């Protein structure tokens, strides 16, 4: 929800071994150098002994030049505290590629938000293994590239996709009900940068046909899970989950229908958190700043 | 929520192969014989081809005597339509036994409702494998029987428990965080009459320590599931489920704490549906009438 | 969610003074005449003494001709039981007009479902008091008519709108964040046929700027309400409501943003219930069949 | 959820006009003096220009003596930044008085948690205008004082209650479905220290009989609200709210019944936040730290 007319800010996401004095040190660095802190949230995982922080400050009077902040911060703090950190600026619009197959509900939801200017993001292209949603892409004036995938052509097609993503300088990928498993090799190029929506309340009903499995088990709630894709199927870090109540009256068709509303909302919330730089991943879990 | 001063009713729960004319036949039987229908809900499972119905009617002017209704219904309809049915009267107070171990939250919630007269039920006794909650039972004036269970004594102790349950004419059993697996033999005596609360959103995190597993997985919601106990661990027919939102800030201790509120509410809702005769089980699923 | 290839059915919605024998009579009428009942749900409002029912049956072997069912039912039952009833056929696609102003989120959500064929409905036209969303209508190939409304031109413009709606044989209207009050005269033409989405949990925050009011009051949840429009502002029969959790961290802008997801889902659920003929209104309330 | 065996901490809650450098200054004060920060959360209300913070640190090596922290902090920071602050220690058990009337569900829920040691709180006494719940208090071994209130005796009775509360050194009061309005004079002695549960989703259905009003309006959700009591009826700062779904099938009796589960959970969550020193009030709103 960053927009026009807002002041330029820097956003720092970091984690490091927990120790006293970090908050004071980092906030002091910013304040002393005339940065105006507008957001600070931190979290300590006492089990792992890890400190996490997200801090955002206005740059208008900050005396360190934008292109030197990373270097200075690295030299003065990151080394000392053994920090892993990433620095972002709010005036950069990240580039998101969409992967789709045949179902349109998530795609429409994302493109509607995009058209309305809800998110600080660019969508340069859509990739699909099918032609079904080409007309949707056309309506919104977005390039649509078809890469049919079979067992034999998978490596080759993924290589082409990666080329295209590189050419268009894509920052992260959203699988909007894309019905193909992404290879380990592909994921190496986008670590914790591929967001998927799984149509169940993970870890229940991993794999294909979760609504059928939910129907068979007779559950009273169905869910959806937005997560980063890792090589372990449906087991990547969870970003967001939600559920909806069902009953014995619901057929599998009803579950699919009710689930679609969940899927699109949960996926869009996950994307938004990613765009807003509010997610830190650590081991196989996420810290989601508010 | 049946109470005093209400008129006597009969409640019929039934299922049979789906075919046309059942609703008309059954409602006609009741209406023609001067029963006043105050509740009717039905459900057709088109996949299995099974018809389910719950119907309740006032008996004040019903011309079939109470103790003949079952026989008449069996002869005139159940045989013809191959029905499985059960008949209840609202003036009978079912007898519920509670099984507990060391945690008090579900027990207190149940006894508070009992004391307030929320449910049409008797609680003649509490059984436990520990003495921890004896003082709670005493406060509410309910018999507390301790049957310590070890691997070697399990059969013997369950036999004693069954004797006691038979003596006290117990109709159904609630495991209010009872930390013992019930044997197959025991369950034969109470088929679909033992209600358990599992502290996860089943089928996620089956078995022991679900909050630890939820923490490890990094889920964003935790759940609780009320279900009938079958010989297949945590896999019996689900009665009720609910969830609560958590975040990366929650420790395992927090999950346990937040989960306890869920557990007690979900368990009490499950018990209430059972007492109100609103549950039909079929295969491994439930039909929950509203 | 009715679709192609399904068998033709009749749907009867009715209410009448409660009395015994109605279910038996109506189901008997259908069964005896070889209709196959596939849905029956009923409700008795014991306070008002009113009986409500929705019943749906397959017509393939029904011996009463489709165009005679209404007459027969009126003659044989409706008169006798003082019923108010409406009869629908599932092979008729109702015609829905959308009214919009400047915000696109509800419009996109509806058109995405329409394009995906989720609903048994036609959308012949969109009416607006502004030109902002014309390009959205164009993308989906739907006629867009602009009727700018001022205090002075309101009567005249509404007359033109009514003409257009009549010409296009519109059955019901959806106000998808249309920022104009509809006049009493207009509503006479579409009684309980104009669905609105109000961006609060009614009856809290009636009127304009509910998110501002929610922010001022410091509530911890915000809501949305789908309802039929009556002459009493925001006080018509409620169809559907839902909420989302907020916190002190949420600005008014955040509330608006979070609320939009609620609004579109709640509005679409309300529309779906209307299309599926699952709503009965009585006095100022709704009976929503499942 | 503070408990035994935990290390002694200080908790500082503060707000002041927003300005840069506060976080750095306060965290520096603690760190430099060898306090180990284990919790920090802050919030800026950009509309009001107010900065809020909750910070907690371990005292074992803190070089400022416990009984001097308040003075030092006042002198060194509070004056400079125009702060309003309060300091608490986790080894003090606050004293809570319960006010009840005739309904037991909230009382039981609180006493069950108390007995199980869920909260860091003492409950020295229960006050009521009726004798109905005396037996409940006895079961839990808590003093029960009856102060019947009529229009004429209200002032006098409140004076007696205040005396008793003072004698027993009560820190805060919980109205657990206490059906009397508290006077302005009484509230002066406990500003933002009287927690009430209102049985509706405020600001909908202010005042008496909210379930009746909800039934009349035909809402699809009912709610409960935990809030601090102010002189403006049901308009004090909201701490927590939640809702439960209802339908046309629910009678007023059902709403009351479903609402009771909500009330007790929402009230207990509100109390817990208060005990954990996680609430800051500002104007008529709350900041609830996580």
């Amino acid at each position: 929800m960053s927009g026009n007319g807002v002041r330029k800010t820097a956003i720092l996401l970091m984690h490091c071994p927990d120790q006293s004095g970090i908050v004071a040190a980092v906030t002091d660095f910013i304040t002393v150098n005339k940065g105006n802190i507008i957001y600070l949230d931190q979290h300590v995982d006492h089990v792992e002994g890890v400190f996490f922080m997200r801090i955002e400050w206005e740059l208008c009077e900050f005396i360190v030049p934008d292109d030197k902040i990373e270097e200075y911060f690295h030299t003065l703090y990151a080394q000392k505290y053994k920090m892993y950190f990433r620095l972002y600026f709010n005036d950069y619009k990240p580039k998101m590629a969409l992967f789709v197959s045949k179902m349109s509900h998530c795609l429409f939801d994302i493109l509607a938000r995009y058209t309305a200017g809800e998110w600080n993001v660019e969508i340069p292209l859509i990739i699909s293994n099918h032609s079904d949603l080409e007309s949707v892409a056309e309506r919104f004036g977005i390039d649509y590239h078809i890469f049919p995938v079979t067992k034999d052509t998978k490596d080759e097609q993924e290589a082409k996709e990666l080329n295209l993503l590189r050419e268009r300088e894509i920052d992260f990928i959203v699988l909007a009900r894309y019905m193909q498993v992404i290879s380990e090799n592909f994921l190496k190029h986008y670590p914790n940068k591929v967001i998927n929506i799984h149509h169940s309340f993970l870890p229940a009903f991993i794999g294909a046909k979760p609504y059928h499995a939910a129907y068979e088990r007779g559950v009273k709630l169905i869910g959806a899970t937005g997560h980063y894709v890792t090589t372990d199927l449906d087991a990547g870090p969870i970003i967001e989950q939600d559920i909806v109540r069902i009953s014995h009256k619901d057929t599998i068709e009803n579950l699919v229908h009710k689930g679609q509303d969940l899927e699109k909302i949960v996926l869009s919330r996950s994307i938004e958190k990613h765009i807003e730089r509010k997610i830190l991943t650590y081991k196989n879990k996420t810290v989601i700043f508010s």
Side-chain angles (χ1 to χ4, degrees), chain A:
Chain A
M1 269 186 307
S2 145
N4 304 319
V6 297
R7 280 183 267 196
K8 183 166 181 178
T9 64
I11 298 158
L12 182 79
L13 282 170
M14 55 140 290
H15 62 79
C16 65
D18 188 28
Q19 56 210 284
S20 74
I22 307 172
V23 175
V26 174
T27 56
D28 191 60
F29 165 69
I30 294 167
T31 310
V32 161
N33 293 310
K34 298 191 184 300
N36 182 30
I37 296 171
I38 59 167
Y39 179 100
L40 182 156
D41 199 5
Q42 48 88 262
H43 167 62
V44 180
D45 181 331
H46 291 286
V47 177
E48 301 282 346
V50 180
F51 174 87
F52 301 86
M53 187 161 67
R54 183 186 188 277
I55 190 161
E56 182 171 4
W57 68 99
E58 291 177 347
L59 293 171
C60 34
E61 299 184 27
F62 199 54
I63 65 173
V64 184
D66 296 358
D67 60 354
K68 291 285 181 187
I69 298 174
E70 193 159 326
E71 181 198 317
Y72 280 37
F73 191 78
H74 176 73
T75 307
L76 300 173
Y77 300 94
Q79 291 190 122
K80 181 175 171 191
Y81 290 104
K82 294 191 171 47
M83 281 178 191
Y84 168 85
F85 78 98
R86 280 173 295 154
L87 185 75
Y88 302 100
F89 296 103
N90 74 333
D91 65 352
Y92 174 73
K93 230 187 227 308
K95 292 187 179 64
M96 167 168 86
L98 301 176
F99 279 50
V100 299
S101 289
K102 298 185 168 191
M103 271 168 295
S104 64
H105 57 288
C106 289
L107 180 60
F108 267 122
D109 196 62
I110 292 165
L111 296 182
R113 291 170 198 270
Y114 183 52
T115 304
E118 264 185 51
W119 293 335
N120 180 42
V121 79
E122 282 296 322
I123 306 180
L125 79 163
I126 297 169
I127 282 175
S128 182
N129 53 339
H130 294 285
S131 61
D132 301 55
L133 300 178
E134 189 158 20
S135 70
V136 177
E138 271 168 19
R139 286 179 202 196
F140 289 85
I142 298 175
D143 289 354
Y144 190 88
H145 301 263
I146 303 172
F147 294 91
V149 177
T150 65
K151 220 176 164 183
D152 291 340
T153 64
K154 188 173 186 113
D155 288 357
E156 185 192 339
Q157 293 294 62
E158 283 199 347
K160 285 185 191 167
E161 289 166 7
L162 282 168
N163 271 336
L164 180 60
L165 297 170
R166 205 174 301 123
E167 264 174 51
R168 304 297 290 268
E169 298 179 307
I170 295 302
D171 293 297
F172 72 104
I173 293 162
V174 170
L175 310 184
R177 294 302 311 275
Y178 179 64
M179 305 305 276
Q180 282 284 329
V181 174
I182 306 291
S183 77
E184 187 171 347
N185 175 58
F186 187 107
L187 290 173
K188 272 183 200 152
H189 297 270
Y190 287 95
N192 284 334
K193 289 178 176 172
V194 180
I195 298 171
N196 183 46
I197 180 72
H198 185 76
H199 42 313
S200 87
F201 178 77
L202 287 174
F205 310 125
I206 286 173
K209 300 208 170 261
Y211 292 126
H212 289 72
Y215 179 83
E216 283 307 313
R217 181 62 187 90
V219 292
K220 300 301 183 188
L221 308 168
I222 53 169
T225 305
H227 66 98
Y228 287 118
V229 180
T230 58
T231 53
D232 199 357
L233 185 67
D234 298 337
I238 293 171
I239 303 169
E240 167 72 355
Q241 301 187 290
D242 212 342
I243 57 93
V244 70
R245 194 161 281 273
I246 60 166
S247 82
H248 61 270
K249 296 190 184 176
D250 287 298
T251 60
I252 290 178
E253 195 181 49
N254 290 149
L255 300 196
V256 170
H257 180 62
K258 288 188 175 179
Q260 287 180 346
D261 275 3
L262 263 187
E263 293 164 24
K264 72 187 187 192
I265 297 295
V266 170
L267 179 56
S268 285
R269 283 188 203 149
S270 302
I271 294 169
E272 185 167 306
K273 285 290 181 187
H274 185 93
I275 290 171
E276 293 179 345
R277 317 298 193 185
K278 295 213 164 161
I279 311 177
L280 257 173
T281 51
Y282 181 72
K283 294 197 167 176
N284 202 43
K285 295 162 75 168
T286 59
V287 170
I288 308 284
F289 292 107
S290 60

